[in-house]
Amino acid sequence: MGEPGRPIIQVEGLEKTYLTRTGERVKALSDVNFEIYDSEFVSVVGPSGCGKSTLLRILLGILPKSKGTVLLDGSPIEGPSNNIGVVFQEPVLFPWLNVFQNACLPIRVKKLDRALYEERSRALLAMVGLRDFSNKYPFELSGGMQQRVSIARALVPDPPVLLMDEPFGALDALTREYMNLELIRIWEESRKTILFITHSISEAVLLSDRVFILSPRPGSIREIVKVDLPRRRSLETISTSEFGQIAKFIRGFLGQGDGEGTAVL
Amino acid sequence: MVFYSRTGLTVLCNKAGGFSVSRLAVHKDKIPSIIFLFVALISWEGLVRFLDLPPFLLPGPINVLRELYFGLAGGVFLVHTWVTFQEIIAGFVLGVGIGFILGVLISEIRIVEQTIYPYVVALQALPKMAIAPLFVIWFGFGITSKIVITALVALFPVLVNVIVGLQTVDAKQLDLMNALNGSKWQTFRMCKLPSALPIIFAGLEIAIVLAVIGAIVGEFVGAEAGLGYLILLLNFKLQIATVFAVLIILSLIGVLLHYLVRLSGKKIVFWVGEEKRVVIGG
Ligand SMILES: Nc1ncnc2c1ncn2[C@@H]1O[C@H](COP(=O)(O)OP(=O)(O)O)[C@@H](O)[C@H]1O
Ligand SMILES: [Mg+2]
């Protein structure tokens, strides 16, 4: 995937209606329109249940849409793509595989070059601070460590596009801060296109080029906020007045009723 | 080595052939059941002597142990044990194999489920022992008919647990395999089957116990050798003390095999029970 500024993900008139087992229709997304450009970091914030995970699953190609167009690099998304990596809200590790084997799962499934990618997997595990835990099993790890394994796993096949669904929600504040800085570093070095769902407004502002604010269910894009803070960002960025202004502006759209918007970085 | 099973039967022995005090100390909780065993045996012997019961009605434990010794030393028990053991193992392996393959096919291939699953359910409700006489007619008085009967009773718990196990796979794990663009076969091999293993092993534990019953009942229906055959024969001759001795061998086989299946299950599905200890944070 080539030059910056080119749209990588294009979504037009996207709608998703779930049919529940009782025959009820739940409209989760309604008329969603946006574009995400090559190497861009976009965060999505919105009240709980507004369809953020639904959007991610449609982009991931594991959930069929009801209406609209969804393009990845110009072609319609009809199923899972090798160009997309994902970190789910929960770690989703296999309890019968150790940390290293879990991180290497994409290598086995996608039949990638073992020697090359296993080396990469080792480096990524070291990056997320789990070098000494390669032989441990998921049940021997804390929830936060498990999520870091799943982040390493998503990065192992080096996908140009990364979708992340509240990946740091289960981490304690310090680890979350560290992971944010690591993500900034990874993104700046690899120039991936990242769609990042979060509950934390400050996290969204710190990481993103743009923040998409979704309306309550059925979710649609309520506002797109451009974050014009200089790169490379660090923890000092948070204490600038520009940062505070943007965060406040975004919070204004989410209202007081949604307690989740108040999560601290 | 310390063998113990859920049935509460406890067998203690070690390489030296005696009780090891340190090992006993580890299993302090087993002491009440061992004391109970001795109290029961002594009361039994006392009761038999006090009431002066004839051995063909109820032999005392000393009598039984003597018969056990003579049966083993004379080699008679070993011959029949070997026959029954073969039936149990062959029947178990066959039943588990067929049950597993059927379970996988029913779970994974819709048309197979639609075609044969209703009949499988119907067949499961049928008491398998009721068809045992047919197998003796079809496969003869030899070992084959007993293997088939054993396989049939061992098959269903495996079949059912394979189906249930494959259904209980975590939807989030399936999402992951799907997102990684895994093929149906990869998803089965890398995700669904390992997820199902704990439940499949629970089925194997039931299957091995049923396999022992299947082999014995099969021999009751018609056989030329085996512990079940021996029990019938001795019963007929009113050698009840020897029947009890055979029953001891039979329970030892049952406990040992169940223990082996349970142990291999614990080794293979090591993650079961550990997952709930996960700490949130850091
Ligand atoms: N499989 C499903 N069937 C029916 N309704 C669903 C299903 N998945 C999600 N929903 C509903 O769709 C809405 C959006 O869900 P989701 O995308 O998970 O929200 P978010 O991730 O923003 O919290 C919610 O109201 C949820 O109840
Ligand atoms: Mg969600």
Side-chain angles (χ1 to χ4, degrees):
Chain A
M1 302 194 176
E3 77 279 12
R6 193 168 51 91
I8 285 292
I9 296 173
Q10 291 164 279
V11 173
E12 217 182 292
L14 173 64
E15 191 177 307
K16 175 65 191 179
T17 306
Y18 285 106
L19 195 63
T20 63
R21 239 171 281 180
T22 51
E24 235 179 307
R25 294 176 156 271
V26 178
K27 198 173 201 179
L29 294 171
S30 163
D31 196 27
V32 176
N33 299 285
F34 64 80
E35 285 185 338
I36 296 176
Y37 302 101
D38 196 8
S39 313
E40 198 182 14
F41 197 122
V42 168
S43 284
V44 177
V45 294
S48 180
C50 73
K52 302 182 294 293
S53 297
T54 303
L55 175 65
L56 177 129
R57 290 158 61 81
I58 292 173
L59 295 177
L60 196 54
I62 63 171
L63 182 72
K65 61 185 189 289
S66 303
K67 259 186 212 161
T69 329
V70 183
L71 303 179
L72 175 68
D73 209 14
S75 31
I77 295 178
E78 270 148 9
S81 158
N82 281 331
N83 289 325
I84 301 183
V86 65
V87 180
F88 291 108
Q89 213 162 341
E90 285 163 75
V92 200
L93 303 178
F94 290 161
W96 51 87
L97 299 181
N98 67 25
V99 165
F100 180 68
Q101 292 165 330
N102 265 295
C104 290
L105 183 70
I107 305 174
R108 280 169 69 203
V109 178
K110 295 174 192 289
K111 302 198 174 82
L112 303 174
D113 182 273
R114 290 255 312 242
L116 193 68
Y117 283 89
E118 282 184 0
E119 205 41 53
R120 195 180 148 75
S121 169
R122 279 207 178 81
L124 284 164
L125 283 175
M127 189 270 289
V128 297
L130 294 175
R131 183 202 296 278
D132 299 332
F133 291 85
S134 291
N135 295 323
K136 298 274 185 218
Y137 283 86
F139 53 81
E140 298 171 289
L141 268 51
S142 71
M145 292 160 104
Q146 294 185 8
Q147 188 60 304
R148 275 138 67 191
V149 178
S150 89
I151 291 166
R153 178 181 63 197
L155 292 169
V156 162
D158 202 12
V161 178
L162 196 57
L163 306 180
M164 306 176 89
D165 193 349
E166 301 183 30
F168 305 146
L171 304 192
D172 65 86
L174 278 178
T175 316
R176 187 169 193 160
E177 208 166 70
Y178 168 76
M179 289 308 298
N180 277 326
L181 298 177
E182 277 305 312
L183 190 57
I184 290 176
R185 192 184 61 74
I186 291 165
W187 175 76
E188 291 189 346
E189 281 172 11
S190 65
R191 306 311 292 179
K192 290 182 191 310
T193 308
I194 299 183
L195 181 86
F196 186 90
I197 296 173
T198 178
H199 265 148
S200 158
I201 293 173
S202 28
E203 192 174 63
V205 176
L206 176 66
L207 298 173
S208 316
D209 295 319
R210 290 187 296 157
V211 178
F212 294 178
I213 304 169
L214 294 194
S215 63
R217 205 187 80 204
S220 61
I221 306 270
R222 181 143 172 220
E223 185 69 43
I224 294 180
V225 179
K226 200 158 168 50
V227 182
D228 262 331
L229 299 171
R231 300 276 178 186
R232 162 177 203 171
R233 295 179 194 160
S234 65
L235 293 181
E236 277 92 72
T237 312
I238 303 170
S239 45
T240 64
S241 65
E242 291 90 340
F243 184 96
Q245 278 165 8
I246 297 170
K248 197 175 163 202
F249 180 70
I250 294 172
R251 187 161 289 130
F253 285 96
L254 292 170
Q256 293 298 334
D258 182 34
E260 298 148 347
T262 56
V264 285
L265 181 82
Chain B
M1 257 225 173
V2 181
F3 296 107
Y4 54 92
S5 78
R6 271 201 301 213
T7 57
L9 270 170
T10 306
V11 185
L12 289 157
C13 58
N14 65 12
K15 277 185 196 134
F19 288 115
S20 137
V21 177
S22 62
R23 278 178 190 279
L24 262 181
V26 177
H27 291 278
K28 253 188 194 138
D29 53 328
K30 296 282 177 254
I31 290 176
S33 66
I34 295 169
I35 293 174
F36 174 79
L37 178 69
F38 279 100
V39 171
L41 287 176
I42 291 166
S43 329
W44 177 7
E45 185 68 38
L47 193 75
V48 167
R49 287 177 187 229
F50 179 71
L51 296 176
D52 202 16
L53 291 173
F56 62 82
L57 213 57
L58 184 66
I62 292 177
N63 198 350
V64 170
L65 283 179
R66 197 173 46 224
E67 289 303 323
L68 182 63
Y69 172 76
F70 285 131
L72 287 173
V76 182
F77 284 181
L78 294 182
V79 171
H80 292 284
T81 301
W82 174 238
V83 170
T84 303
F85 189 75
Q86 281 176 295
E87 291 165 359
I88 294 170
I89 297 301
F92 176 74
V93 169
L94 191 67
V96 167
I98 296 173
F100 179 78
I101 291 169
L102 269 183
V104 170
L105 292 178
I106 288 171
S107 299
E108 298 299 299
I109 304 172
R110 227 186 132 63
I111 186 74
V112 178
E113 187 203 339
Q114 288 167 340
T115 337
I116 70 167
Y117 195 50
Y119 302 107
V120 169
V121 173
L123 204 63
Q124 197 206 350
L126 180 81
K128 261 68 70 182
M129 295 313 167
I131 26 180
L134 282 177
F135 288 126
V136 175
I137 292 180
W138 291 337
F139 298 104
F141 283 86
I143 192 171
T144 316
S145 60
K146 263 62 75 185
I147 292 175
V148 174
I149 293 164
T150 305
L152 190 69
V153 293
L155 183 156
F156 283 95
V158 179
L159 172 68
V160 170
N161 283 38
V162 166
I163 293 173
V164 173
L166 290 175
Q167 276 168 356
T168 50
V169 52
D170 185 357
K172 295 191 287 289
Q173 293 181 353
L174 290 180
D175 277 350
L176 175 71
M177 288 304 293
N178 200 357
L180 288 173
N181 219 345
S183 68
K184 208 176 161 179
W185 167 236
Q186 283 178 321
T187 304
F188 175 78
R189 193 163 44 91
M190 299 180 189
C191 176
K192 288 175 115 180
L193 185 58
S195 296
L197 277 183
I199 295 177
I200 294 177
F201 265 98
L204 293 185
E205 277 189 49
I206 304 171
I208 192 67
V209 173
L210 290 185
V212 177
I213 300 174
I216 296 302
V217 175
E219 288 175 3
F220 281 176
V221 173
E224 298 158 329
L227 294 176
Y229 162 84
L230 195 59
I231 289 174
L232 271 196
L233 190 74
L234 295 167
N235 226 16
F236 191 65
K237 295 202 228 162
L238 292 182
Q239 296 182 0
I240 305 304
T242 326
V243 171
F244 271 78
V246 176
L247 289 178
I248 290 176
I249 295 178
L250 210 48
S251 7
L252 287 183
I253 292 177
V255 169
L256 181 71
L257 290 178
H258 180 255
Y259 173 79
L260 287 178
V261 172
R262 196 173 169 73
L263 189 70
S264 44
K266 276 196 172 159
K267 282 251 147 58
I268 293 170
V269 293
F270 60 89
W271 62 91
V272 171
E274 303 280 359
E275 288 176 279
K276 291 174 194 89
R277 291 190 210 157
V278 167
V279 207
I280 300 295

